Amino acid sequence: MPLEEYRRKRDRRRTPEPVPESEPTSGGNDRFVVQEHHATALHWDLRLERDGVLASWAVPKGLPEDSETVRMAVRTEDHPLEYLDFHGEIPRGEYGGGRMSVWDSGRYDTEKWNDREVAFVLHGERARGRFVLLHRPGERQDRWLLRRTREQPATSAPSGAPLPRDAALAVATPAKRLPSGDDWRVRPVFGGRRVLVRSDGGRLTLCPAGDDGVPGEPIPTPGPLRELGPALGAGGHLLDAELTGGGELWIADVLHTAGRDARPLPLDERRALLEDLRIDGPQRRVVPLYPNAGEQLLAAVRAQGLPGVVAVREGSAYPQPGSPSDDWREVRVSRAGQGSTRPAAPRTGHGRASLSNPDKVLYPATGTTKADVLGHYLAVAEAMLPHIEGRPATLKRWPDGVESSSFFEKNVSRHAPAWLRTARVGTPGGRSESADFAVIGDAEGLAWAANLAALELHVPQWRLGPRDGRHPPDRVVFDLDPGEGATIVDCCRVALRLRALLEEHGLAVYPSTSGGKGMQLYLPVRVTELERTSEFAREVAERLAAEHPRETIAVMTRARRRGKVFVDWSQNNTAKTTIASYSLRGRERPTVATPVTWDEVAACREAEDLVFTHEDLPARLERHGDLMRPLLDTEGFRLPRGGAIFEVPG
């Protein structure tokens, strides 16, 4: 029955989709449709008429615009021919719930069709050209690849340029006054962060750029801006923009759009391309561009409290990176509205915590003393405290140093000072039904723990409320644990695959070393069911293990982990804890669980590349700030429904 699976997944009483009762009859095998589908994850559905049905693939990032880009495509169930012109809202909760519209449709020619390769030529308005779907041997039955071929028919749309990976923003030449002449256009500067906006297949990333215009690691996208990626659609886009402290995005220029490198084009043509994009929306606008009006314009900018303007020469191309461009000139008129982004120094309180035996050596191999341990925790307090505040801490103590025995301590009621917050929390499976945990929220609490030689602090993925009630988890953690014969280098390869998988569903994840052999990846979430984070992490781990069985495993059995990385999803159990970011580890050296950049993860070739000790942390914090800060600043993601991580809804 060709449409049996299609009918099984749909209730005609609930969905507006066509659900025909009769069996299909053979058609012309020459019609196609591409539908834009805003389901759990935005994607594009490619449907080709074949033997009376529509053979269907879900393409998360849409059709490739150039021959160098390869897209993942997921084979879904066949659809009825009535779906060729379907558009509308599929109710949430139903299979594929969300808005669907026709992106393009028309005729196509079949050049090859078998179980491993489908080659075809599309003759649509937006989709024109020769494409091929490939199924690699050994892959799951529904996993295909889609690419645009190098050789194209004469009637095809020109092959586009791939979205550049090394693009940098233009750097203006500082000037004391506006240039003279009518061949200049002037735009205001809003005093925000300069960002390179990258949209690829509806997935949006914001990368802050330094003074040299080179973009750095992506930052969390403010909630109101998340719809910009879907609004820009399936094509690739690079935009020059400014992100204000209030979360407003002002787009000033375009570097690349719809398979076209726009940088060589003159200003007016780039401006026309920019205005053709669907950009304006909540908290996002195209920056206005004015004719050069000299001091009159500067006075207006100054009156609004803006910091300055940029003048761009009419007819000029987008400047190449490397040095400031004389075709771009920046005039600063005011510092109004520019606040410092440097956080305040940590409070040390009134000295209620004391340090006994400060010269006691806790790490004999390096001579690191208890005073050094205290110094570390005070140095990282500003970054660390927001991540452990409100979380009951389990202390791991080495009273006689790391070469002697250690023990975990949950119940601190016997020696906790009166000023330290403690919370009675249930301990299922423990020695008693509950324990009085330390809840560390200030530098004094860290000093108290250091005095106990509590080198390691472990916390759960949930916080306590003001009356010690448990909030639902606000983080998912993926604990990557290398088995015998594997190292953190292998963890990095798995981490990159896990990141790519989550990005398919619009989820951002942040990496940290464990301070030992492995690493953790953290995802900020919003859930109402306590067990949902653990279920989701397990689904992710099992998909990775299914797709990469030689490198990844999702079960705890140690005998099966040799040479592989165990994706430990069980750390999301509400009774379990994970090493806190910036915590020391009780190893031979005073290593630290250290947040890292994705560039560092991708560049890791030796295990030592990602080993950091307490001496490394002050310089890293000065250079990077708190790389885990997005966990606090980002509105938690809603997790895809159960099972969605294995599929793209049809």
Side-chain angles (χ1 to χ4, degrees), residues 322-509:
S323 61
S325 169
D326 197 50
D327 286 335
W328 283 41
R329 301 185 192 178
E330 183 174 15
V331 181
R332 309 294 287 187
V333 298
S334 170
R335 292 288 177 181
Q338 286 189 318
S340 171
T341 59
R342 185 176 180 85
R347 295 184 297 108
T348 55
H350 303 289
R352 292 178 293 185
S354 60
L355 188 67
S356 60
N357 300 322
D359 296 326
K360 185 171 185 177
V361 175
L362 297 181
Y363 293 86
T366 57
T368 306
T369 66
K370 185 186 285 189
D372 294 326
V373 169
L374 172 62
H376 164 74
Y377 279 113
L378 292 181
V380 301
E382 183 180 342
M384 182 179 191
L385 286 169
H387 298 288
I388 64 173
E389 186 177 14
R391 302 183 195 273
T394 297
L395 314 180
K396 191 172 185 182
R397 298 175 55 187
W398 279 264
D400 297 312
V402 296
E403 292 184 353
S404 300
S405 60
S406 63
F407 62 94
F408 284 99
E409 184 173 53
K410 299 180 179 180
N411 196 337
V412 299
S413 57
R414 292 174 298 166
H415 51 74
W419 50 264
L420 181 75
R421 180 186 175 187
T422 61
R424 178 149 292 189
V425 177
T427 55
R431 295 180 180 178
S432 57
E433 294 183 358
S434 61
D436 292 317
F437 286 76
V439 185
I440 298 174
D442 53 30
E444 293 168 287
L446 290 174
W448 166 80
N451 188 51
L452 295 176
L455 304 179
E456 295 184 2
L457 302 178
H458 298 249
V459 292
Q461 312 312 316
W462 48 269
R463 295 182 187 269
L464 294 164
R467 297 184 180 180
D468 294 346
R470 292 191 187 189
H471 285 317
D474 58 354
R475 304 186 305 197
V476 172
V477 61
F478 300 94
D479 188 14
L480 306 185
D481 184 10
E484 183 183 354
T487 69
I488 195 171
V489 178
D490 302 285
C491 292
C492 288
R493 304 290 82 77
V494 173
L496 291 168
R497 288 169 177 158
L498 193 151
R499 179 198 191 191
L501 170 59
L502 294 182
E503 283 183 343
E504 291 175 13
H505 293 266
L507 305 176
V509 67

Side-chain angles (χ1 to χ4, degrees), residues 172-178 189 307-311 328-332:
T173 298
K176 293 184 178 180
R177 60 184 61 87
L178 283 172
V189 174
V309 298
V310 168
W328 283 41
R329 301 185 192 178
E330 183 174 15
V331 181
R332 309 294 287 187

Side-chain angles (χ1 to χ4, degrees), residues 42-213:
L42 171 66
H43 62 277
W44 283 261
D45 292 309
L46 168 65
R47 311 193 197 281
L48 306 176
E49 182 183 11
R50 185 76 175 176
D51 297 332
V53 298
L54 296 176
S56 299
W57 288 263
V59 187
K61 292 188 176 182
L63 303 184
E65 297 170 329
D66 61 89
S67 59
E68 297 181 30
T69 299
V70 178
R71 300 293 201 203
M72 182 183 81
V74 179
R75 182 73 160 94
T76 61
E77 72 278 7
D78 292 339
H79 282 52
L81 294 181
E82 290 86 345
Y83 227 93
L84 279 165
D85 57 3
F86 172 72
H87 59 90
E89 191 79 24
I90 302 172
R92 293 292 178 184
E94 296 301 301
Y95 176 73
R99 186 176 75 256
M100 181 177 285
S101 59
V102 174
W103 185 82
D104 197 13
S105 62
R107 288 185 50 258
Y108 83 98
D109 297 322
T110 303
E111 294 189 344
K112 182 184 291 187
W113 195 298
N114 57 49
D115 291 341
R116 290 189 176 181
E117 182 177 356
V118 176
F120 54 97
V121 179
L122 299 180
H123 304 284
E125 291 186 13
R126 304 171 77 174
R128 289 185 292 131
R130 179 183 287 115
F131 298 84
V132 62
L133 283 156
L134 297 169
H135 184 263
R136 295 179 296 185
E139 281 283 1
R140 284 175 43 170
Q141 187 174 1
D142 62 348
R143 289 293 182 267
W144 293 64
L145 298 176
L146 173 65
R147 65 179 181 85
R148 182 184 174 97
T149 62
R150 293 186 183 276
E151 297 76 26
Q152 290 288 319
T155 57
S156 298
S159 184
L163 199 61
R165 289 282 173 186
D166 56 352
L169 297 181
V171 178
T173 298
K176 293 184 178 180
R177 60 184 61 87
L178 283 172
S180 60
D182 296 332
D183 59 338
W184 291 87
R185 296 292 177 261
V186 184
R187 58 177 171 84
V189 174
F190 296 92
R193 304 172 74 179
R194 190 92 179 278
V195 292
L196 177 68
V197 179
R198 183 185 185 92
S199 179
D200 187 11
R203 274 69 173 174
L204 190 77
T205 54
L206 305 179
C207 300
D211 292 339
D212 58 358

